[in-house]
Amino acid sequence: ASEQYLKALQYDVTNYKALNNLASCYINLGDYSTAVHFSGRSAWHADQQQAGFTKAHIRKAEALGALKQHKYACESYKTVLRSLKKPMAPLNNPEADKQKEEANSLYRQGNWAEAAAHYGLAIGHEGPRACLLLG
């Protein structure tokens, strides 16, 4: 699959969907550094085209989290949170739910940095499945 996405990029280096799918391939291969590179390029091109494509930021955060670069993963999640029109759905985990409720309150107050930190804690309690709730 990665070969096909690379071919697509030969025709259009700004194809943020191909870049994002390529990042997904590298995540599946466990090559998180390369995934960060391609998801970052995807996010940048999507933002430049005002595409509202949050998947690239989520994928970048996932790869950064796998690399234990939580501060930078949080920055990517903050970008996603700023674009959301409503808070996340329940996580069905008491500690995660507690963190999510605190995050929702902070989000409504416009304190996005603190909200993102609490969403990150909620995701930490829930694991990778929580990333699906942001998509």
Side-chain angles (χ1 to χ4, degrees):
S2 61
E3 291 175 17
Q4 295 303 314
Y5 296 125
L6 287 169
K7 282 183 184 179
L9 292 171
Q10 289 176 349
Y11 297 103
D12 180 8
V13 295
T14 68
N15 184 335
Y16 59 88
K17 290 183 180 180
L19 288 163
N20 192 53
N21 289 337
L22 192 54
S24 178
C25 290
Y26 285 107
I27 286 174
N28 289 329
L29 293 170
D31 186 350
Y32 301 111
S33 294
T34 304
V36 168
H37 169 77
F38 283 109
S39 59
R41 284 181 53 196
S42 173
W44 189 85
H45 285 295
D47 291 348
Q48 293 301 305
Q49 297 173 40
Q50 298 179 348
F53 189 69
T54 59
K55 285 183 180 182
H57 294 283
I58 293 169
R59 190 149 287 144
K60 182 178 179 184
E62 180 183 355
L64 287 165
L67 292 169
K68 307 290 186 214
Q69 295 182 12
H70 302 294
K71 177 182 176 185
Y72 299 108
C74 186
E75 290 298 319
S76 289
Y77 282 126
K78 280 194 251 183
T79 300
V80 174
L81 291 172
R82 287 185 191 111
S83 70
L84 293 176
K85 295 192 176 13
K86 60 182 178 180
M88 289 187 340
L91 296 172
N92 300 320
N93 176 311
E95 186 57 33
D97 288 341
K98 176 182 169 189
Q99 294 298 330
K100 182 190 65 80
E101 290 306 317
E102 177 65 20
N104 287 346
S105 174
L106 291 164
Y107 180 85
R108 285 189 290 274
Q109 296 169 23
N111 189 344
W112 295 310
E114 287 292 316
H118 283 276
Y119 280 127
L121 291 171
I123 289 167
H125 287 290
E126 193 63 19
R129 183 191 75 78
C131 294
L132 299 174
L133 299 173
L134 294 173

